[in-house]
PDB file of all heavy atoms in Angstrom:
ATOM      1  N   ALA I 145     -27.896  38.341 -16.677  1.00 95.00           N
ATOM      2  CA  ALA I 145     -27.597  39.778 -16.698  1.00 95.00           C
ATOM      3  C   ALA I 145     -26.110  40.007 -16.459  1.00 95.00           C
ATOM      4  O   ALA I 145     -25.491  39.273 -15.668  1.00 95.00           O
ATOM      5  CB  ALA I 145     -28.410  40.491 -15.626  1.00 95.00           C
ATOM      6  N   PRO I 146     -25.508  40.990 -17.117  1.00 95.00           N
ATOM      7  CA  PRO I 146     -24.065  41.231 -16.996  1.00 95.00           C
ATOM      8  C   PRO I 146     -23.600  41.388 -15.557  1.00 95.00           C
ATOM      9  O   PRO I 146     -22.525  40.904 -15.190  1.00 95.00           O
ATOM     10  CB  PRO I 146     -23.844  42.519 -17.796  1.00 95.00           C
ATOM     11  CG  PRO I 146     -24.966  42.551 -18.768  1.00 95.00           C
ATOM     12  CD  PRO I 146     -26.143  41.932 -18.082  1.00 95.00           C
ATOM     13  N   GLU I 147     -24.410  42.069 -14.720  1.00 94.00           N
ATOM     14  CA  GLU I 147     -23.985  42.315 -13.342  1.00 94.00           C
ATOM     15  C   GLU I 147     -23.972  41.042 -12.496  1.00 94.00           C
ATOM     16  O   GLU I 147     -23.441  41.024 -11.392  1.00 94.00           O
ATOM     17  CB  GLU I 147     -24.880  43.365 -12.673  1.00 94.00           C
ATOM     18  CG  GLU I 147     -26.348  42.986 -12.544  1.00 94.00           C
ATOM     19  CD  GLU I 147     -27.170  43.362 -13.788  1.00 94.00           C
ATOM     20  OE1 GLU I 147     -26.558  43.663 -14.846  1.00 94.00           O
ATOM     21  OE2 GLU I 147     -28.416  43.367 -13.690  1.00 94.00           O
ATOM     22  N   ARG I 148     -24.556  39.961 -13.029  1.00 94.00           N
ATOM     23  CA  ARG I 148     -24.558  38.693 -12.301  1.00 94.00           C
ATOM     24  C   ARG I 148     -23.475  37.741 -12.812  1.00 94.00           C
ATOM     25  O   ARG I 148     -23.386  36.603 -12.380  1.00 94.00           O
ATOM     26  CB  ARG I 148     -25.928  38.014 -12.398  1.00 94.00           C
ATOM     27  CG  ARG I 148     -27.019  38.759 -11.610  1.00 94.00           C
ATOM     28  CD  ARG I 148     -28.353  38.037 -11.693  1.00 94.00           C
ATOM     29  NE  ARG I 148     -28.220  36.651 -11.238  1.00 94.00           N
ATOM     30  CZ  ARG I 148     -28.897  35.633 -11.762  1.00 94.00           C
ATOM     31  NH1 ARG I 148     -29.720  35.840 -12.783  1.00 94.00           N
ATOM     32  NH2 ARG I 148     -28.746  34.413 -11.288  1.00 94.00           N
ATOM     33  N   ILE I 149     -22.667  38.205 -13.775  1.00 95.00           N
ATOM     34  CA  ILE I 149     -21.536  37.409 -14.277  1.00 95.00           C
ATOM     35  C   ILE I 149     -20.257  38.035 -13.741  1.00 95.00           C
ATOM     36  O   ILE I 149     -19.983  39.209 -13.982  1.00 95.00           O
ATOM     37  CB  ILE I 149     -21.505  37.391 -15.828  1.00 95.00           C
ATOM     38  CG1 ILE I 149     -22.852  36.913 -16.380  1.00 95.00           C
ATOM     39  CG2 ILE I 149     -20.364  36.494 -16.318  1.00 95.00           C
ATOM     40  CD1 ILE I 149     -22.971  37.045 -17.878  1.00 95.00           C
ATOM     41  N   PHE I 150     -19.471  37.261 -13.015  1.00 95.00           N
ATOM     42  CA  PHE I 150     -18.301  37.802 -12.333  1.00 95.00           C
ATOM     43  C   PHE I 150     -17.023  37.448 -13.096  1.00 95.00           C
ATOM     44  O   PHE I 150     -16.817  36.306 -13.486  1.00 95.00           O
ATOM     45  CB  PHE I 150     -18.229  37.244 -10.905  1.00 95.00           C
ATOM     46  CG  PHE I 150     -19.324  37.747 -10.014  1.00 95.00           C
ATOM     47  CD1 PHE I 150     -20.605  37.209 -10.088  1.00 95.00           C
ATOM     48  CD2 PHE I 150     -19.086  38.789  -9.124  1.00 95.00           C
ATOM     49  CE1 PHE I 150     -21.622  37.679  -9.282  1.00 95.00           C
ATOM     50  CE2 PHE I 150     -20.100  39.257  -8.301  1.00 95.00           C
ATOM     51  CZ  PHE I 150     -21.381  38.707  -8.379  1.00 95.00           C
ATOM     52  N   ARG I 151     -16.201  38.469 -13.331  1.00 95.00           N
ATOM     53  CA  ARG I 151     -14.906  38.263 -13.990  1.00 95.00           C
ATOM     54  C   ARG I 151     -13.820  38.199 -12.916  1.00 95.00           C
ATOM     55  O   ARG I 151     -13.666  39.133 -12.138  1.00 95.00           O
ATOM     56  CB  ARG I 151     -14.598  39.412 -14.963  1.00 95.00           C
ATOM     57  CG  ARG I 151     -15.454  39.424 -16.224  1.00 95.00           C
ATOM     58  CD  ARG I 151     -15.013  40.581 -17.115  1.00 95.00           C
ATOM     59  NE  ARG I 151     -15.814  40.735 -18.309  1.00 95.00           N
ATOM     60  CZ  ARG I 151     -15.503  40.234 -19.506  1.00 95.00           C
ATOM     61  NH1 ARG I 151     -14.404  39.530 -19.637  1.00 95.00           N
ATOM     62  NH2 ARG I 151     -16.274  40.458 -20.556  1.00 95.00           N
ATOM     63  N   PHE I 152     -13.093  37.088 -12.880  1.00 94.00           N
ATOM     64  CA  PHE I 152     -12.013  36.930 -11.911  1.00 94.00           C
ATOM     65  C   PHE I 152     -10.690  36.736 -12.628  1.00 94.00           C
ATOM     66  O   PHE I 152     -10.638  36.344 -13.798  1.00 94.00           O
ATOM     67  CB  PHE I 152     -12.276  35.735 -10.992  1.00 94.00           C
ATOM     68  CG  PHE I 152     -13.442  35.936 -10.052  1.00 94.00           C
ATOM     69  CD1 PHE I 152     -14.389  34.937  -9.870  1.00 94.00           C
ATOM     70  CD2 PHE I 152     -13.594  37.125  -9.360  1.00 94.00           C
ATOM     71  CE1 PHE I 152     -15.451  35.112  -9.006  1.00 94.00           C
ATOM     72  CE2 PHE I 152     -14.661  37.317  -8.492  1.00 94.00           C
ATOM     73  CZ  PHE I 152     -15.591  36.313  -8.316  1.00 94.00           C
ATOM     74  N   GLY I 153      -9.600  36.964 -11.901  1.00 93.00           N
ATOM     75  CA  GLY I 153      -8.263  36.892 -12.474  1.00 93.00           C
ATOM     76  C   GLY I 153      -7.733  35.473 -12.602  1.00 93.00           C
ATOM     77  O   GLY I 153      -8.438  34.488 -12.370  1.00 93.00           O
ATOM     78  N   LYS I 154      -6.450  35.399 -12.938  1.00 90.00           N
ATOM     79  CA  LYS I 154      -5.813  34.125 -13.247  1.00 90.00           C
ATOM     80  C   LYS I 154      -5.812  33.169 -12.059  1.00 90.00           C
ATOM     81  O   LYS I 154      -5.968  31.956 -12.220  1.00 90.00           O
ATOM     82  CB  LYS I 154      -4.375  34.392 -13.709  1.00 90.00           C
ATOM     83  CG  LYS I 154      -3.787  33.294 -14.570  1.00 90.00           C
ATOM     84  CD  LYS I 154      -2.493  33.756 -15.216  1.00 90.00           C
ATOM     85  CE  LYS I 154      -2.011  32.721 -16.229  1.00 90.00           C
ATOM     86  NZ  LYS I 154      -0.749  33.126 -16.865  1.00 90.00           N
ATOM     87  N   GLU I 155      -5.650  33.717 -10.872  1.00 89.00           N
ATOM     88  CA  GLU I 155      -5.574  32.865  -9.684  1.00 89.00           C
ATOM     89  C   GLU I 155      -6.850  32.062  -9.472  1.00 89.00           C
ATOM     90  O   GLU I 155      -6.817  30.923  -9.032  1.00 89.00           O
ATOM     91  CB  GLU I 155      -5.287  33.737  -8.454  1.00 89.00           C
ATOM     92  CG  GLU I 155      -5.063  32.929  -7.192  1.00 89.00           C
ATOM     93  CD  GLU I 155      -4.689  33.808  -6.008  1.00 89.00           C
ATOM     94  OE1 GLU I 155      -4.192  34.935  -6.237  1.00 89.00           O
ATOM     95  OE2 GLU I 155      -4.912  33.379  -4.864  1.00 89.00           O
ATOM     96  N   ASP I 156      -7.984  32.672  -9.798  1.00 90.00           N
ATOM     97  CA  ASP I 156      -9.275  32.020  -9.560  1.00 90.00           C
ATOM     98  C   ASP I 156      -9.830  31.309 -10.782  1.00 90.00           C
ATOM     99  O   ASP I 156     -10.478  30.266 -10.655  1.00 90.00           O
ATOM    100  CB  ASP I 156     -10.312  33.056  -9.086  1.00 90.00           C
ATOM    101  CG  ASP I 156      -9.945  33.647  -7.737  1.00 90.00           C
ATOM    102  OD1 ASP I 156      -9.700  32.861  -6.804  1.00 90.00           O
ATOM    103  OD2 ASP I 156      -9.892  34.881  -7.619  1.00 90.00           O
ATOM    104  N   ASN I 157      -9.644  31.855 -11.949  1.00 92.00           N
ATOM    105  CA  ASN I 157     -10.365  31.352 -13.115  1.00 92.00           C
ATOM    106  C   ASN I 157      -9.476  31.015 -14.312  1.00 92.00           C
ATOM    107  O   ASN I 157      -9.850  31.232 -15.461  1.00 92.00           O
ATOM    108  CB  ASN I 157     -11.437  32.368 -13.544  1.00 92.00           C
ATOM    109  CG  ASN I 157     -12.732  32.165 -12.795  1.00 92.00           C
ATOM    110  OD1 ASN I 157     -12.769  32.248 -11.580  1.00 92.00           O
ATOM    111  ND2 ASN I 157     -13.803  31.881 -13.514  1.00 92.00           N
TER     112      ASN I 157
END
Side-chain angles (χ1 to χ4, degrees):
E147 62 273 14
R148 291 182 56 215
I149 306 172
F150 292 79
R151 289 182 183 264
F152 292 135
K154 203 168 188 181
E155 185 176 337
D156 295 308
N157 273 60

